[in-house]
Amino acid sequence: MRLNSGLKLASSILSKEPSYMVLFVTAVCNARCEFCFYWEEIESAKSKLELTLDEYKQISCHLKHLYYLSIGGGEPFTRLDLPQILEAFYRNSSTRTVAIASHGGFPHRIQNLLSFTQTHYPSLKIKLQLSLDNLYERHDQSRKIKGLFDNFLKSCSVISTMRDQGANCMLTIATVLTTENLDHISSIKKFVDEHISYDDLSLIYPRGAAKDKNLLQVNASEYRKIKELFEATTHAHNFYTKLHREIDKEGKKGVESYLEHGKNGYP
């Protein structure tokens, strides 16, 4: 299985076709985060205007070497056909790694997706990135969903348990750094270390046309300090996790350079 996956990766890298794609499968989201760069699209989203499963199947047939698919939204798990979308890219596009960014509010749907891929496509690696920006009620308030924090924890438990039982998945906890949670980051990090069996942490610098622009006013020195805290984590369940973490560190260096030097500092 690993040899076959390695051949798929080599073929993808050597191909002139795209090997990586970011795909927003929906603009629909039940959260209303005021730091979101996509809030205008979310507030005007209509599910009936989205691409259908059949259209995604057609797209997948024209991408033969798409090894890595990064799925976002909106909230991807609002789509009940998400497992079938992944299936189309696995079968038609040689996709073997899928990253899904989610707020973690649908633990049963996450479990259903992992059960589906584990049963039918066990060589497909699923990287689930769940968002945590505050603790307890503060998290629910920041994303405007009652009970989200509890469902986030349930989703983390589902993913880590299935991973430990052999599912081909990993759990990343992503935190958007804002002026609202800047003073609470250490407590958030401590909670995650003590209560969640994660594979990796991701610190996200706020960007774009947020609804509340004051939340984005985090400077370079503040970002650097928190970044060092996140990079000090020792969690690592496998080689893939360690490799991904090193790649992510290089990406964060680019963000830091941009903050310090503007466009000239971006690699």
Side-chain angles (χ1 to χ4, degrees):
M1 187 181 298
R2 288 183 178 179
L3 178 60
N4 182 55
S5 182
L7 291 174
K8 293 285 186 183
L9 177 58
S11 176
S12 174
I13 293 173
L14 295 174
S15 171
K16 293 182 180 180
E17 296 180 15
S19 60
Y20 172 86
M21 181 169 73
V22 177
L23 177 64
F24 283 22
V25 293
T26 183
V28 174
C29 186
N30 58 328
R32 290 295 182 269
C33 313
E34 295 190 339
F35 51 80
C36 180
F37 69 90
Y38 206 56
W39 70 272
E40 291 179 295
E41 289 83 357
I42 286 173
E43 292 194 354
S44 62
K46 295 179 180 180
S47 59
K48 65 181 181 181
L49 300 179
E50 295 174 355
L51 293 176
T52 66
L53 175 59
D54 285 340
E55 287 172 321
Y56 278 121
K57 288 179 179 178
Q58 293 178 44
I59 292 171
S60 68
C61 288
H62 292 278
L63 296 165
K64 298 298 185 182
H65 299 281
L66 191 69
Y67 188 87
Y68 196 114
L69 180 62
S70 181
I71 289 181
E75 169 51 52
F77 284 96
T78 60
R79 287 198 67 137
L80 298 180
D81 59 358
L82 186 59
Q84 287 71 39
I85 293 175
L86 270 58
E87 179 181 41
F89 283 98
Y90 180 92
R91 297 181 64 177
N92 301 325
S93 305
S94 297
T95 301
R96 292 298 179 268
T97 299
V98 175
I100 306 174
S102 169
H103 58 44
F106 298 103
H108 294 299
R109 295 183 186 182
I110 290 175
Q111 184 173 26
N112 289 340
L113 180 138
L114 291 177
S115 296
F116 177 83
T117 57
Q118 184 180 14
T119 299
H120 299 287
Y121 307 103
S123 63
L124 179 62
K125 178 175 287 294
I126 308 294
K127 176 195 168 190
L128 286 141
Q129 178 177 291
L130 304 190
S131 300
L132 181 66
D133 312 302
N134 282 285
L135 299 177
Y136 307 106
E137 292 83 5
R138 292 176 68 97
H139 186 62
D140 293 1
Q141 292 166 4
S142 69
R143 291 186 174 255
K144 309 294 191 295
I145 304 178
K146 186 177 181 179
L148 178 59
F149 182 76
D150 288 341
N151 280 324
F152 162 84
L153 291 179
K154 290 177 183 177
S155 294
C156 289
S157 179
V158 164
I159 298 165
S160 60
T161 298
M162 294 188 72
R163 177 202 63 210
D164 294 345
Q165 291 174 348
N168 195 8
C169 61
M170 61 178 288
L171 171 62
T172 295
I173 306 301
T175 299
V176 179
L177 185 62
T178 68
T179 54
E180 193 277 331
N181 67 6
L182 187 61
D183 294 333
H184 307 286
I185 288 292
S186 295
S187 297
I188 295 171
K189 171 70 163 51
K190 185 174 186 292
F191 179 92
V192 170
D193 285 342
E194 293 178 352
H195 297 282
I196 299 175
S197 178
Y198 64 87
D199 294 281
D200 201 8
L201 299 176
S202 180
L203 181 66
I204 300 175
Y205 190 85
R207 63 195 188 278
K211 196 168 189 177
D212 184 351
K213 293 180 174 58
N214 291 323
L215 293 172
L216 310 187
Q217 305 305 311
V218 178
N219 61 46
S221 61
E222 291 169 331
Y223 174 76
R224 184 186 302 110
K225 180 180 178 181
I226 304 301
K227 179 177 72 75
E228 291 172 353
L229 174 67
F230 272 55
E231 290 180 350
T233 184
T234 57
H235 285 235
H237 288 274
N238 53 48
F239 172 77
Y240 182 88
T241 301
K242 295 177 182 178
L243 177 62
H244 184 272
R245 184 173 298 163
E246 292 305 314
I247 294 173
D248 189 61
K249 284 182 181 180
E250 291 302 312
K252 294 298 186 292
K253 289 179 182 178
V255 174
E256 191 174 339
S257 179
Y258 177 81
L259 292 175
E260 291 180 331
H261 307 293
K263 293 182 179 179
N264 293 330
Y266 196 77

